Amino acid sequence: MNSDHKALEQEALESLDSMSAVPKLKGPIGRVIGWVDNCFLTLAVVALVSIAATVLLQICSRLFLPFSIAWTEELSRYLFIYMVALSVGVVLRQNRNISVELFHHRLSPRMKAAFQVLISLMIGLFALLVLPYAWQYAQNGTWQTSPTLHVPMLYIFFSTVVTFALLLVYSLLGCLEGIIAMCRSSAYLQES
């Protein structure tokens, strides 16, 4: 029953996103990557739930208290930034980022893998070029603090480093998976 459910889920995903046909790494390395993905997704979900709680606190303070809590808006903004930063790599790996799919469904499995390598290389090169500048930007926050929370802005600006570092790592992973898929037989690509 569980394998049937997984097969139906995979078929549904492929119908929605033709690029999900490129198989992911399996074995011990695949399990470690899956565990890391789950950690990042859990942190992103915690940030999302925290945003909801913060906004709810802000609404309740405006409605039921004689004063408004000032730091809630700032905290929700910072949580949103880190939610995006922590989930960007997993979103890239699962092909859930925004893309225009005009011709993907017409590609053979091997060409889908080659296309994934090309896109991953472009994203990885961009992240590699931007990463040093993101670090410089983060260092600008060493002498600043946030207006209401009084948190060093280094921690907030560091989200750019996290974003581009995760994009770089996950784009390298996407390249590796695409190259492996291109080298495998067509039968392997069809069954995965």
Side-chain angles (χ1 to χ4, degrees):
M1 177 80 178
N2 193 14
S3 63
D4 293 338
H5 179 69
K6 287 236 184 231
L8 287 173
E9 182 180 307
Q10 182 66 26
E11 187 177 321
L13 281 175
E14 286 180 20
S15 69
L16 292 174
D17 178 24
S18 62
M19 292 305 292
S20 65
V22 177
K24 305 295 180 210
L25 290 174
K26 294 180 172 54
I29 294 174
R31 284 192 294 276
V32 168
I33 293 169
W35 182 81
V36 170
D37 288 352
N38 286 336
C39 286
F40 282 123
L41 287 177
T42 301
L43 290 172
V45 167
V46 166
L48 180 62
V49 170
S50 299
I51 290 169
T54 304
V55 170
L56 187 61
L57 176 64
Q58 182 180 33
I59 292 169
C60 290
S61 73
R62 288 185 180 178
L63 289 175
F64 304 119
L65 296 177
F67 58 91
S68 179
I69 300 174
W71 53 265
T72 54
E73 185 177 337
E74 189 175 302
L75 179 60
S76 63
R77 189 178 317 125
Y78 299 153
L79 287 169
F80 178 77
I81 290 168
Y82 265 98
M83 179 188 69
V84 171
L86 292 169
S87 63
V88 70
V90 180
V91 167
L92 179 65
R93 182 160 191 261
Q94 294 179 353
N95 297 309
R96 297 292 181 252
N97 48 339
I98 297 173
S99 65
V100 178
E101 295 186 14
L102 298 176
F103 58 88
H104 298 104
H105 62 281
R106 294 184 181 160
L107 296 175
S108 68
R110 199 172 300 271
M111 288 305 294
K112 287 178 185 177
F115 186 74
Q116 177 173 318
V117 169
L118 175 68
I119 295 300
S120 294
L121 274 175
M122 290 171 48
I123 291 171
L125 285 174
F126 176 74
L128 185 64
L129 288 172
V130 174
L131 195 56
Y133 298 105
W135 177 247
Q136 286 177 350
Y137 174 69
Q139 289 177 329
N140 287 337
T142 55
W143 62 84
Q144 300 173 7
T145 58
S146 65
T148 58
L149 292 173
H150 304 292
V151 174
M153 290 302 289
L154 171 69
Y155 300 125
I156 309 307
F157 293 166
F158 191 73
S159 64
T160 58
V161 175
V162 171
T163 299
F164 291 109
L166 287 176
L167 277 176
L168 180 61
V169 168
Y170 276 91
S171 65
L172 291 174
L173 184 59
C175 279
L176 180 65
E177 289 173 341
I179 290 169
I180 290 171
M182 285 180 0
C183 295
R184 297 281 173 113
S185 68
S186 295
Y188 173 78
L189 291 174
Q190 292 294 339
E191 78 180 34
S192 294

